[in-house]
Amino acid sequence: MGNTSVLTCVTDLSLASVEGMNIGMILVRSVVSFAVVIAIFGLELLMVSQVCEDANSRRKWSMGSVLILLSFLLSSTGVLSFLMLLKDHITFMGFTLTYWCEFIAAFLFFLNGISGLHINSITYPWTRVRKM
């Protein structure tokens, strides 16, 4: 490339010469987008369980934490699928900012879900006998 060269960005993934790139990226984007939606619902349940303290608060907190862990699994699946799709064409320094953001988001989903379940088990031990 010279100084007068213009970079042309295209959205046609078939030009990348990677077999299955079109379908693979559709799958990866769908799984990661679904993970974000599930995480939003999980965080909403965590917030509602704190704002509306009722008999079901513990259940809402647990379900929110489980949804966030589910979003971690889906997000990790998307990241690993992306790696497997481009395994022959990527280098450590060749990852984009989007990839690193998704990688960190998956890790934070894991930490948030596990800490939510741990906090719930500390404040309400599962072995404690409850009065009906």
Side-chain angles (χ1 to χ4, degrees):
M1 291 182 66
N3 289 337
T4 59
S5 298
V6 177
L7 251 151
T8 306
C9 296
V10 294
T11 57
D12 185 11
L13 296 177
S14 63
L15 297 175
S17 301
V18 176
E19 187 178 329
M21 180 81 149
N22 286 330
I23 303 299
M25 287 307 290
I26 290 171
L27 258 147
V28 167
R29 288 178 185 149
S30 299
V31 167
V32 170
S33 297
F34 190 56
V36 169
V37 170
I38 289 177
I40 289 169
F41 281 114
L43 291 171
E44 185 67 28
L45 278 172
L46 290 176
M47 185 180 68
V48 167
S49 74
Q50 293 299 301
V51 172
C52 307
E53 290 192 29
D54 57 357
N56 294 323
S57 288
R58 178 180 179 201
R59 194 171 300 140
K60 290 175 192 172
W61 183 273
S62 296
M63 182 56 101
S65 298
V66 167
L67 284 177
I68 291 174
L69 282 176
L70 181 63
S71 69
F72 157 71
L73 291 174
L74 288 172
S75 185
S76 297
T77 302
V79 170
L80 290 174
S81 299
F82 180 75
L83 285 175
M84 290 188 320
L85 189 63
L86 297 174
K87 66 182 174 211
D88 297 329
H89 304 282
I90 55 176
T91 62
F92 182 72
M93 295 302 291
F95 288 126
T96 63
L97 182 60
T98 304
Y99 172 80
W100 288 115
C101 289
E102 182 59 36
F103 182 80
I104 291 170
F107 180 68
L108 292 177
F109 286 155
F110 174 74
L111 287 180
N112 195 349
I114 290 295
S115 66
L117 288 175
H118 182 65
I119 287 170
N120 194 28
S121 70
I122 289 174
T123 55
Y124 297 102
W126 291 102
T127 57
R128 186 173 80 182
V129 177
R130 294 183 296 238
K131 294 181 182 179
M132 294 282 181

